[in-house]
Amino acid sequence: METATETRTPGPEVGAETVPIFIMGKRYEVPATLTIMKALEHAGYQYIRGCGCRGGVCGACATVFRREGDYKIYTGLACQTVVEPGMTLTQIPFYPANRAVYDYETAEPTAETIYALYPELFRCVACNACSKVCPMDVEVLDVISAVKRGDLVAAKELSFDCIQCGLCASRCMGEMAQYHIAQLARRLVGGKITPRAAHLEAMCSSIDAGAFADPITELKSMDPEALKKAYVEREMEPHMADENWKPASNVGLAAEA
Ligand code: SF4
Ligand code: SF4
Ligand code: FES
């Protein structure tokens, strides 16, 4: 089992430039090139929560900070934001936002479903604090406005980049969880409004009919080394392939056969 020390970011090279930062009010010297996430680990904190992908997509590492000499509160993702000298920061890995409980199977794909589950969305005062705080540049006010006027498709499109970090809810004058409201809109549109893809249904049927049974049986019978070799040597679509590109082998294209 790894120890906390082994999972932390290694120390800086001798002579590396460091900057002072303040984590929950306490001063630390950290290498100037680190992200907030790595700086926290360098300072001795161990992530139990508030850290997931480390790549800017899971939304677990919402961070609030101030810059030295600046009254403003800034926000960002700890895994994506590089430390600055004099920065004062803390993380809010979980924000106690309201998330409605519902039965998706019976939920009607209408705005009224959202209104019933999240009536607080009508408390929006259009302050736009949510859009300003979003690290993914989601126009959160526009998302909420789209839901209010019943345009769930627009709400889905506008909120597509949301990573559920919760920062918008932390600043909301209307005390709502915009990202849970937007997620429900996306679920209703994605599962109940967007037309079914015929080619996907054909592929699922061919899988059910055993189209891939032989290749899967073959893969499962391979020893680990042969499996690694097959993986490394697999045919991949070129990065700049045009729409007519097809692999040399038609194994895996059963639905087209
Ligand atoms: S919309 Fe809200 S929860 Fe989603 S990424 Fe932006 S601030 Fe985070
Ligand atoms: S922060 Fe809340 S009240 Fe302000 S615009 Fe966004 S949803 Fe509306
Ligand atoms: S750890 Fe996933 S977004 Fe930062």
Side-chain angles (χ1 to χ4, degrees):
M1 201 169 96
E2 287 181 318
T3 66
T5 310
E6 285 166 336
T7 59
R8 274 188 218 136
T9 306
E13 290 173 16
V14 175
E17 182 192 355
T18 62
V19 295
I21 63 169
F22 298 85
I23 302 170
M24 290 185 285
K26 183 168 165 40
R27 186 181 193 278
Y28 296 89
E29 282 286 333
V30 298
T33 55
L34 295 187
T35 60
I36 289 173
M37 178 164 283
K38 290 181 177 176
L40 278 158
E41 290 174 321
H42 180 82
Y45 291 87
Q46 183 187 6
Y47 280 96
I48 304 295
R49 307 210 40 147
C51 171
C53 66
R54 293 174 178 263
V57 294
C58 79
C61 63
T63 303
V64 177
F65 61 91
R66 280 187 51 237
R67 298 188 163 104
E68 191 171 26
D70 188 342
Y71 71 92
K72 282 182 73 170
I73 294 284
Y74 294 89
T75 55
L77 299 174
C79 68
Q80 301 297 299
T81 310
V82 175
V83 292
E84 296 174 30
M87 174 187 262
T88 300
L89 62 90
T90 193
Q91 276 195 257
I92 48 167
F94 174 76
Y95 193 80
N98 175 38
R99 186 174 60 175
V101 176
Y102 52 87
D103 177 4
Y104 181 77
E105 292 304 320
T106 57
E108 290 292 324
T110 63
E112 283 70 24
T113 297
I114 302 181
Y115 302 159
L117 291 166
Y118 293 103
E120 64 269 30
L121 78 89
F122 289 101
R123 289 167 51 86
C124 176
V125 295
C127 66
N128 207 31
C130 47
S131 307
K132 286 185 190 162
V133 87
C134 179
M136 300 302 290
D137 294 331
V138 173
E139 294 294 340
V140 191
L141 167 57
D142 292 351
V143 174
I144 295 301
S145 299
V147 177
K148 282 167 69 179
R149 67 174 184 270
D151 191 345
L152 302 193
V153 174
K156 182 265 290 181
E157 290 291 331
L158 288 164
S159 68
F160 191 79
D161 289 336
C162 173
I163 56 172
Q164 311 279 116
C165 73
L167 280 167
C168 51
S170 77
R171 306 306 297 273
C172 183
M173 294 281 288
E175 301 177 303
M176 74 189 75
Q178 304 94 325
Y179 61 109
H180 286 150
I181 295 170
Q183 185 184 55
L184 176 52
R186 292 197 299 279
R187 283 178 172 163
L188 292 174
V189 172
K192 301 194 177 209
I193 294 177
T194 304
R196 297 267 165 196
H199 64 284
L200 177 61
E201 299 209 344
M203 179 58 89
C204 290
S205 299
S206 70
I207 292 169
D208 288 342
F212 298 95
D214 289 346
I216 289 173
T217 304
E218 189 186 335
L219 285 172
K220 286 164 83 174
S221 69
M222 288 175 158
D223 64 58
E225 286 310 312
L227 201 53
K228 280 184 204 167
K229 186 168 181 294
Y231 178 75
V232 169
E233 292 176 354
R234 73 197 186 283
E235 186 181 13
M236 292 175 67
E237 182 175 350
H239 286 308
M240 299 302 286
D242 69 32
E243 71 231 36
N244 297 316
W245 180 87
K246 284 190 178 169
S249 163
N250 68 356
V251 173
L253 297 178
E256 280 196 357

